[in-house]
Amino acid sequence: MRDQAPSLYRHVSYFVEIALGLVLLLNGILLFLNSCMAFPFKEKFLDFLSAENLSTKSAQEWRVFTEFVHAVLITHISVFVMLCMGIVIFLAGWHTRKSL
């Protein structure tokens, strides 16, 4: 049997996979660094941890607190998904490149 040279489509395919994986990794890292810089803002919410101050909070303060917690959770989930998908897509592209 004669060896076939990989087609241009396959070369473009693994280059796109590798590039997309690297872009997702970079975005995940940048989002993680950005969210780390936002953590000093959580110091204003430390008074929510004391039991005696919980009943004195207004509805506006509770809304702001829950929005902050929601934003932090969504950011961490997004970072995790971006990093995992970036690694998987990059490794798939790298494996495709090695197998050609």
Side-chain angles (χ1 to χ4, degrees):
M1 240 196 233
R2 186 172 51 134
D3 289 331
Q4 280 189 335
S7 67
L8 179 62
Y9 172 76
R10 289 191 179 183
H11 281 294
V12 170
S13 173
Y14 74 77
F15 278 131
V16 168
E17 285 178 357
I18 290 173
L20 180 61
L22 290 175
V23 165
L24 281 172
L25 281 172
L26 179 66
N27 283 339
I29 291 169
L30 290 176
L31 185 60
F32 177 72
L33 292 175
N34 190 20
S35 67
C36 287
M37 299 304 166
F39 284 131
F41 294 112
K42 72 178 180 181
E43 293 170 358
K44 66 181 178 181
F45 296 114
L46 286 178
D47 58 343
F48 273 91
L49 299 177
S50 62
E52 59 269 357
N53 290 337
L54 290 178
S55 61
T56 62
K57 299 298 178 195
S58 68
Q60 176 67 21
E61 290 173 319
W62 278 106
R63 187 180 66 78
V64 169
F65 177 69
T66 55
E67 287 177 357
F68 174 76
V69 170
H70 181 259
V72 168
L73 288 175
I74 294 300
T75 302
H76 281 84
I77 291 171
S78 299
V79 166
F80 179 74
V81 168
M82 279 188 191
L83 290 176
C84 289
M85 290 306 297
I87 290 169
V88 167
I89 292 172
F90 176 78
L91 291 177
W94 193 260
H95 180 310
T96 304
R97 180 178 177 268
K98 291 290 186 182
S99 66
L100 293 179

